[in-house]
Amino acid sequence: MTRLFLIRHGAPQSGWGEANPDPGLSPLGQSQALAAAETLAGLGAGAVVSSPMRRCRETAAVFAGQGALAIEPRVSEVRAPASIGDRLAWLRDNFPWREGEPARSWPELAPALHAWRSDLLQALAELDDGAAVFTHFIAINAIVGTALAAKQTIVCRPDYASITEIELRDGAPLLVRLGAEKQVGEVL
């Protein structure tokens, strides 16, 4: 059995649709990263694995300190087709996260999204016990949804720098503890 910690990145400097497609952390995000690092240290988290996106790397770096930080592209943002002009609209269509929006289910989604989710889960299966994985809202939903055998694409609303704990048994994720959920404001 492998225990893993999924950490959503801290609050970014800018949101979706703004000028910077790969923002770093805001001052709030930096303080969230510090709080997450302190919690992870108390949980006995070990190896540090991060999405290549700047907000994840900066969140992970606070916990890693001077230690090793492994970049793993398979735990990054969900991949949108290259032909998509409005990524935010595409995300909202496939992964509706707002209250009152009709849910989408994985069986409805394109094969490329199933491949992305499969790659994500395979990346987790290759990690050592106690790894801290710094990732994104949709990725955490894909993992937790698999753990819960849920068909919906959105099953939780992880807050910035929240820590979700899972166990892998024979490569399959099982939910141990869901991290703090975002209560107000936009999730992306």
Side-chain angles (χ1 to χ4, degrees):
M1 174 171 35
T2 302
R3 178 175 142 191
L4 301 175
F5 302 97
L6 309 174
I7 304 92
R8 185 177 179 204
H9 59 77
Q13 292 171 338
S14 59
W16 283 99
E18 296 181 25
N20 187 350
D22 189 15
L25 294 178
S26 67
L28 173 60
Q30 292 168 357
S31 66
Q32 292 167 331
L34 180 59
E38 291 170 356
T39 300
L40 286 166
L43 293 172
V48 182
V49 178
S50 177
S51 157
M53 304 299 289
R54 185 174 165 204
R55 56 197 174 274
C56 284
R57 291 191 331 263
E58 289 181 4
T59 306
V62 175
F63 178 63
Q66 299 300 313
L69 170 61
I71 302 301
E72 174 52 75
R74 295 176 294 174
V75 302
S76 192
E77 290 276 19
V78 61
R79 295 184 296 256
S83 61
I84 297 299
D86 186 345
R87 181 171 161 74
L88 183 56
W90 177 84
L91 280 169
R92 283 185 179 142
D93 181 50
N94 289 285
F95 304 95
W97 59 83
R98 291 184 174 153
E99 295 291 326
E101 289 182 327
R104 289 292 302 267
S105 67
W106 280 98
E108 300 175 64
L109 300 185
L113 291 172
H114 292 269
W116 168 79
R117 182 174 64 165
S118 179
D119 288 348
L120 171 65
L121 294 170
Q122 181 59 43
L124 297 182
E126 296 169 8
L127 296 176
D128 292 331
D129 188 46
V133 182
F134 293 80
T135 188
H136 304 271
F137 181 91
I138 302 296
I140 293 170
N141 269 278
I143 297 162
V144 171
T146 300
L148 298 175
K151 290 185 179 181
Q152 300 89 341
T153 59
I154 299 298
V155 295
C156 60
R157 297 171 52 87
D159 203 356
Y160 291 120
S162 67
I163 302 168
T164 294
E165 185 178 347
I166 64 167
E167 289 181 355
L168 297 179
R169 291 195 189 148
D170 298 323
L174 300 170
L175 182 63
V176 173
R177 184 183 56 84
L178 195 58
E181 297 235 338
K182 189 146 178 71
Q183 299 300 312
V184 295
E186 189 61 71
V187 298
L188 296 182

